[in-house]
Amino acid sequence: MKHEIKTLLTQAVSSLKTRGELPADIETNIQITRTRDASHGDFACNLAMMLAKPVGKNPREVAQLLIDALPSHGHIDRVDIAGPGFINFYVSQASALSVINDVLTQGDTYGLSNIGAGRKVQLEFVSANPTGPLHVGHGRGAAYGATVADLLEAVGFNVHREYYVNDAGRQMDILGTSVWLRYLQLCDIDVPFPSNAYQGDYVNDIASTLLAQHDKNLVHPLTAVMDNIPADEPQGGDKEQHIDALIQRCKTLLGDDSYLQVFDLGLNTILDDIRQDLKEFGVVYDEWFSERSLARNGLIKQAIERLQKANYVYEKEGALWFKSTDFGDEKDRVVVRDNGQHTYFASDIAYHMDKMERGFDRVIDVWGADHHGYVPRVKAALKALGDDADKLDVLLVQFAVLYRNGEKVQMSTRSGSFVTLRELREEVGTDAARFFYVMRKCEQHMDFDLDLAKSKSSENPIYYIQYAHARICSVFRQLAEKNIQHDIGSGNNKLEKLTESHETELMVSITKYPEIVEAAALNEEPHLLAHFLRDLANELHTYYNAHQFIVDDENIRNARLNLISATRQVLCNGLKLLGVSAPESM
RNA sequence: GCCCCGAUAGCUCAGCUGGAUAGAGCGUCCCCCUCCUAAGGGGAAGGCCAGAGGUUCGAAUCCUCUUCGGGGCGCCA
């Protein structure tokens, strides 16, 4: 309807232009909005006020010109000028009622559209280092990314969901070494555990598996392990030097093959856990992209060579630097260190180069807000490579700060004292977690009150929405118990019986649903849908309280049943898009 | 020091990208089940939209500055 009105106005403007009543070169930006107040009709347009000044007439005069030039339309009863020059459109009742049948016939597909026209979008999200279980901070990125992906798919984009696995680098070496040290402890070697190693229990579990697989074949005496290792921080040394020396010692004593086995056991165990965790959270991927594969396939080398060829790389103090300042970054960045190792940034350049080569129309990265400083250099690299950096959008998700008993929960992966996503799901349930995470705009800091989310009381908006859905299902169960048939066809013929204000409001909301899905998808703002569903549930509950559905008059009964059945369908479709279940009873 | 995000009811947040009288939930107070789930509904109170300028027919929304929060700025990953 919105689009139809816009078309009508566009026609009006062009006919006024050809008749010379509007200057031919004037620019129009036609915005149709839904009115907040029913007394202003159903839709409003501010075009007349925007044209008033350039045309040199008062807004109400312009509005009258536009209305006179407006082609007639079967579904519009009346067009008024109101206030300072708004043009208000009144939609016919028949048109308003028709939405109910639309929903009932379209079912699961109501709200879907094809605005994306099959364009390929790649969405990379979570991509947490596989050095430990996902924590609640990752949960927000997971819920947000998955929902944006589903929304984009709902409006017709071809979405490719991807997880970038950081299976290379120092953090992973620390993990491998942590596993080995725990393994030594299991083998009664009294080796001190570094303060900078991964402290979590899961490291012990992996070490147990290692012991089961290799018996004591990977054991080395304490003296060999600790010989000449610089002191750890608690002993007055440097924790970084301490762990790095241990990593080297681990590699030397085990040899390449055995080291890789320990490393891969840690990596795969944790990755499997992450995969399972996300799956249970309703988050699935099309691809798990390995960072190590970049080097293996020569992509990093290729990326750096391309940058060199384009003359954006120079050598300084033994390292290779990328001239990102040529593209607006604050300082140049190292891509290959003086020890010959490429930096993480070099991997990222290669990864993004590869994304571009895979032919996506659009590439979206969902990152934690702490990585915001990283955006300019990645975009700079893409520009330097000659790619279209505008194809890349980085969505920054702010941290979720947890509160327990009114106090901030401190989180640290290293110390092992964090709340995992799995714990959160077990405490509050997947539905509530998914919903809570996307209830806020992603750039909004979020206070996640664990106690509140845990409490299974009416305070939880997700229960409120699910309850509305279950309530409707319950009505139909009652109907069946009373042996009354719901005649959809007859209800559809008697929709004009739906004259109560509650009913009209419900219909308007249902009509809005496709617009909400569209806006939520195109703006990457799932919270719009979350809020819409809350409002829709509220209208349903209000209606439920004010009127009986199972009444003696079968015309009214069937019409009302059609309306609540359509409402149920919209609630169900919306919840599904948010990754939340729609229970039939509660 | 530089950069990003935020500031709206007592609390947690919306506000459709500049529109008509700024909205929800929670909390507080009052009311509603002989009736399809009271896990619900209705009503009341509660606001200098952080502050000051600017842009225009019109600003919570856009721009600048100030104040106050949160986060980030490595040859770490």
Side-chain angles (χ1 to χ4, degrees):
Chain A
M1 199 71 223
K2 214 177 202 175
H3 293 113
E4 290 172 43
I5 292 174
K6 190 169 176 175
T7 309
L8 294 179
L9 276 166
T10 310
Q11 288 169 9
V13 169
S14 63
S15 69
L16 285 174
K17 279 183 182 173
T18 51
R19 277 190 272 154
E21 298 189 49
L22 279 180
D25 58 344
I26 203 160
E27 281 197 30
T28 55
N29 173 23
I30 301 175
Q31 294 168 22
I32 311 295
T33 50
R34 283 191 177 273
T35 56
R36 195 175 300 169
D37 191 331
S39 68
H40 297 136
D42 299 294
F43 294 91
C45 181
N46 60 0
L47 182 63
M49 288 179 285
M50 292 172 75
L51 290 179
K53 193 165 190 189
V55 172
K57 290 184 170 153
N58 89 48
R60 293 187 69 106
E61 279 178 58
V62 180
Q64 193 57 53
L65 275 176
L66 286 165
I67 291 173
D68 291 341
L70 210 61
S72 66
H73 188 285
H75 288 159
I76 293 171
D77 278 355
R78 192 152 64 90
V79 184
D80 278 353
I81 303 173
F86 288 102
I87 304 176
N88 290 340
F89 295 84
Y90 293 76
V91 174
S92 75
Q93 207 213 3
S95 164
L97 295 173
S98 68
V99 70
I100 295 175
N101 197 41
D102 290 348
V103 176
L104 295 181
T105 50
Q106 291 172 34
D108 291 343
T109 63
Y110 179 70
L112 304 185
S113 65
N114 194 29
I115 303 163
R119 280 194 295 269
K120 287 176 70 183
V121 178
Q122 193 235 26
L123 192 73
E124 182 218 320
F125 58 108
V126 184
S127 299
N129 284 353
T131 52
L134 297 177
H135 57 70
V136 290
H138 300 125
R140 189 172 187 188
Y144 177 73
T147 309
V148 169
D150 290 349
L151 282 167
L152 286 171
E153 208 159 71
V155 299
F157 288 92
N158 182 355
V159 182
H160 185 82
R161 300 160 175 83
E162 191 159 311
Y163 189 115
Y164 181 56
V165 182
N166 297 121
D167 52 6
R170 181 166 173 265
Q171 291 306 319
M172 288 307 297
D173 282 327
I174 294 178
L175 176 73
T177 302
S178 303
V179 170
W180 185 58
L181 294 172
R182 287 297 191 207
Y183 160 87
L184 291 177
Q185 290 178 336
L186 288 175
C187 297
D188 297 322
I189 307 288
D190 193 20
V191 59
F193 200 71
S195 58
N196 210 18
Y198 288 101
Q199 312 283 334
D201 290 340
Y202 58 93
V203 178
N204 279 312
D205 297 340
I206 301 169
S208 299
T209 310
L210 190 65
L211 180 58
Q213 286 179 357
H214 293 265
D215 202 11
K216 297 198 174 180
N217 295 326
L218 303 176
V219 173
H220 289 266
L222 181 61
T223 47
V225 178
M226 296 307 293
D227 183 43
N228 258 328
I229 298 289
D232 199 1
E233 194 166 79
Q235 284 73 47
D238 181 293
K239 61 181 179 179
E240 307 292 349
Q241 282 177 15
H242 178 74
I243 192 83
D244 282 338
L246 276 170
I247 291 169
Q248 283 315 312
R249 183 62 45 86
C250 175
K251 287 180 177 175
T252 314
L253 291 175
L254 289 177
D256 287 350
D257 288 351
S258 294
Y259 178 77
L260 194 63
Q261 284 182 25
V262 174
F263 185 99
D264 277 348
L265 178 67
L267 168 67
N268 291 327
T269 306
I270 290 173
L271 208 51
D272 285 346
D273 177 73
I274 288 176
R275 204 177 272 124
Q276 183 62 28
D277 198 10
L278 287 172
K279 193 178 162 195
E280 287 168 18
F281 199 40
V283 178
V284 290
Y285 287 90
D286 300 299
E287 187 168 351
W288 295 70
F289 192 100
S290 156
E291 180 187 355
R292 267 193 296 191
S293 75
L294 289 169
R296 204 165 50 229
N297 298 334
L299 289 174
I300 295 177
K301 207 174 150 227
Q302 196 187 321
I304 293 172
E305 280 170 4
R306 267 177 67 180
L307 289 177
Q308 279 173 323
K309 239 174 240 169
N311 231 350
Y312 291 117
V313 174
Y314 62 92
E315 200 174 330
K316 191 177 89 181
E317 293 160 10
L320 281 185
W321 296 70
F322 165 51
K323 279 163 75 175
S324 53
T325 46
D326 280 9
F327 301 92
D329 197 9
E330 329 175 301
K331 54 174 285 192
D332 291 342
R333 310 288 173 178
V334 173
V335 284
V336 180
R337 281 176 243 160
D338 58 3
N339 63 9
Q341 296 250 310
H342 65 259
T343 58
Y344 180 86
F345 178 46
S347 300
D348 241 1
I349 296 174
Y351 180 42
H352 283 84
M353 176 186 80
D354 183 64
K355 286 187 182 191
M356 291 296 163
E357 283 174 0
R358 279 189 271 164
F360 296 109
D361 297 300
R362 200 172 161 216
V363 170
I364 301 174
D365 290 354
V366 177
W367 289 352
D370 53 333
H371 285 72
H372 86 267
Y374 220 74
V375 180
R377 72 188 80 164
V378 171
K379 291 218 170 204
L382 286 176
K383 285 179 204 156
L385 288 166
D387 285 314
D388 182 1
D390 290 336
K391 277 188 184 172
L392 172 69
D393 276 316
V394 181
L395 305 178
L396 298 172
V397 180
Q398 293 290 332
F399 286 137
V401 181
L402 287 182
Y403 286 85
R404 200 193 282 282
N405 301 323
E407 284 179 17
K408 229 182 212 176
V409 179
Q410 295 298 330
M411 281 183 292
S412 162
T413 315
R414 295 276 182 86
S415 66
S417 68
F418 52 82
V419 181
T420 63
L421 175 59
R422 184 171 278 115
E423 284 166 353
L424 180 75
R425 288 195 290 108
E426 282 163 2
E427 282 176 20
V428 309
T430 292
D431 284 347
R434 284 286 303 255
F435 189 86
F436 265 66
Y437 274 133
V438 299
M439 232 166 55
R440 306 269 172 265
K441 282 193 296 197
C442 74
E443 64 262 36
Q444 180 75 251
H445 294 114
M446 183 168 70
D447 290 340
F448 201 127
D449 187 334
L450 283 172
D451 304 303
L452 182 75
K454 262 187 283 187
S455 72
K456 300 207 166 189
S457 69
S458 59
E459 291 164 27
N460 197 337
I462 189 58
Y463 289 124
Y464 185 82
I465 299 170
Q466 289 179 320
Y467 179 44
H469 183 271
R471 246 185 167 174
I472 297 171
C473 293
S474 172
V475 171
F476 283 95
R477 278 194 298 273
Q478 284 287 326
L479 200 66
E481 271 177 35
K482 292 180 180 171
N483 274 317
I484 304 173
Q485 291 294 314
H486 172 206
D487 187 335
I488 297 175
S490 133
N492 197 39
N493 289 329
K494 299 293 177 190
L495 290 178
E496 73 274 6
K497 297 279 184 188
L498 302 177
T499 52
E500 302 287 346
S501 64
H502 296 101
E503 293 164 339
T504 315
E505 281 166 26
L506 211 41
M507 278 184 266
V508 170
S509 290
I510 291 172
T511 311
K512 279 185 200 168
Y513 175 70
E515 295 165 23
I516 297 289
V517 172
E518 183 183 323
L522 298 182
N523 299 319
E524 295 100 17
E525 291 183 337
H527 76 277
L528 294 178
L529 182 55
H531 284 276
F532 168 83
L533 291 175
R534 218 252 150 225
D535 291 344
L536 182 62
N538 179 29
E539 282 168 4
L540 187 277
H541 287 306
T542 306
Y543 181 35
Y544 182 100
N545 252 269
H547 301 283
Q548 286 279 119
F549 309 142
I550 304 177
V551 292
D552 291 338
D553 182 329
E554 64 177 298
N555 288 332
I556 294 179
R557 185 177 70 227
N558 283 316
R560 287 184 175 171
L561 290 173
N562 279 16
L563 175 58
I564 63 167
S565 181
T567 306
R568 188 206 64 78
Q569 185 71 59
V570 172
L571 286 168
C572 178
N573 292 1
L575 287 171
K576 192 177 163 200
L577 274 177
L578 295 181
V580 175
S581 69
E584 297 192 358
S585 66
M586 290 172 76

